[in-house]
Amino acid sequence: MKRLLFIYNPHAGKELLKPKISDIVDIFVKAGYEVTIYPTQSYRDAYRKVKEYDSKEYELVVCSGGDGTIDEVVSGMMTRKDRDPVGYIPTGTTNDFANSLHIPKGLLKAADNAVNGVVFPCDIGRFNQDTFVYIAAFGLFTDVSYETDQAMKNVLGHLAYILEGAKRIFNVPSYRIKVCHGGEEIEDEFIYGMVTNSRSVGGFRSMVGKQVVFDDGLFEVTLIKKPKNPLELQEIIAALLIEQIDTKYMYTFKTGYITFESLEEIPWTLDGEFGGEHDYVEIENLRQQLGIMVPAEHIEELKE
């Protein structure tokens, strides 16, 4: 009998998972798995659990929660020499990563995909000594997701992020950063930057470009320059809202390796969680180093 570790965050989303756990486990068992269930108890608990289990214990790890939960599970898996595939049942507020990989939205359909889908070798990001699944970002609004109260996220969803972000729209910090990639050097004042492997960020589709694939060893990078006046700031926000990235206020490019250097320490977010403050950041694409379960009918469009 195959063995499966099921890790879930009991507080993610609107706690929709709880009444479905029995049905989800039934799907796992019918797929031929003996199931160990582990509800997370605290921050970084999923990371610890995945990092520490014995290599002979499980053949598959399935997790359920928001972006923070998948980030912890993947980060834990990336510390292991023997990496088992990861199945994902999204129950968070935005679920950018799951949407990008066409992981079904319904809990039971996602559970079925987790055990009956196919393994897709996905790119993962290294951020200094940490890892991220689909986005590393700094600047404008990046602290919103981890400063927004969980209960508020559960009730209001996207609106919670917008309300929290709107509070600081006219007090935008900027950072002078030297960015190096592919033999090119950029030095400028930025209010926002993101390095992504996703087709949507914060629910905005196509904000990161049209030709996104998940196993090509390349990230999509967007850097937004500091506006000179409130009118320019409004133009930048309008461009983002209509998902137009190619403007005079932004740099956009693809790269597998990039560094950010600044005089001051800048707060970063990794997959929506606080990633620390850094004056030097080195980001590398770890190509095809994580197996993630995806629907068989979408496997070709995810590939290079």
Side-chain angles (χ1 to χ4, degrees), residues 129-285:
Q129 303 307 311
D130 292 321
T131 59
F132 64 94
V133 179
Y134 77 95
I135 182 170
F138 69 85
L140 186 68
F141 296 169
T142 52
D143 60 343
V144 169
S145 62
Y146 54 83
E147 284 191 359
T148 305
D149 179 74
Q150 182 64 54
M152 190 176 174
K153 288 184 196 177
N154 292 349
V155 174
L156 297 175
H158 276 305
L159 186 59
Y161 294 99
I162 294 166
L163 291 173
E164 193 69 33
K167 292 178 186 176
R168 68 202 72 185
I169 190 68
F170 296 111
N171 185 26
V172 180
S174 63
Y175 307 98
R176 175 154 287 277
I177 306 174
K178 182 168 74 173
V179 181
C180 298
H181 73 98
E184 183 182 351
E185 188 176 294
I186 303 167
E187 188 163 352
D188 214 325
E189 289 264 334
F190 299 107
I191 59 168
Y192 180 77
M194 63 179 180
V195 180
T196 65
N197 194 36
S198 176
R199 287 180 182 157
S200 69
V201 173
F204 289 100
R205 290 192 64 81
S206 304
M207 190 171 148
V208 293
K210 307 291 184 186
Q211 303 301 317
V212 179
V213 291
F214 300 92
D215 65 347
D216 62 351
L218 297 173
F219 289 124
E220 284 66 42
V221 181
T222 302
L223 303 170
I224 301 178
K225 294 188 273 187
K226 178 184 178 181
K228 296 183 177 67
N229 52 56
L231 182 61
E232 284 194 0
L233 178 60
Q234 285 182 339
E235 287 184 21
I236 289 169
I237 292 166
L240 294 176
L241 289 174
I242 64 170
E243 300 174 355
Q244 173 189 336
I245 61 167
D246 199 11
T247 81
K248 59 190 173 184
Y249 304 118
M250 305 179 198
Y251 297 94
T252 61
F253 52 88
K254 293 174 181 275
T255 187
Y257 179 83
I258 188 169
T259 62
F260 297 82
E261 193 171 353
S262 56
L263 291 175
E264 60 186 310
E265 292 195 332
I266 297 171
W268 283 74
T269 177
L270 305 178
D271 300 326
E273 302 292 320
F274 182 56
E277 298 188 356
H278 309 271
D279 56 14
Y280 181 79
V281 165
E282 179 182 50
I283 294 176
E284 180 185 7
N285 187 298

Side-chain angles (χ1 to χ4, degrees), residues 10-19 91-93 150-157:
H11 306 296
K14 298 175 182 175
E15 301 190 7
L16 297 173
L17 187 78
K18 285 182 179 179
T91 56
T93 311
Q150 182 64 54
M152 190 176 174
K153 288 184 196 177
N154 292 349
V155 174
L156 297 175

Side-chain angles (χ1 to χ4, degrees), residues 9-65:
N9 178 356
H11 306 296
K14 298 175 182 175
E15 301 190 7
L16 297 173
L17 187 78
K18 285 182 179 179
K20 299 285 189 182
I21 286 178
S22 178
D23 293 332
I24 287 169
V25 171
D26 186 58
I27 289 170
F28 296 164
V29 172
K30 282 183 168 63
Y33 285 95
E34 182 179 287
V35 183
T36 299
I37 303 174
Y38 188 84
T40 57
Q41 304 297 302
S42 59
Y43 176 67
R44 300 291 279 176
D45 195 25
Y47 169 80
R48 179 195 60 77
K49 183 68 175 174
V50 173
K51 181 180 179 181
E52 294 178 359
Y53 74 76
D54 185 271
S55 60
K56 297 182 181 67
E57 282 186 84
Y58 306 108
E59 283 79 36
L60 176 66
V61 174
V62 178
C63 67
S64 184

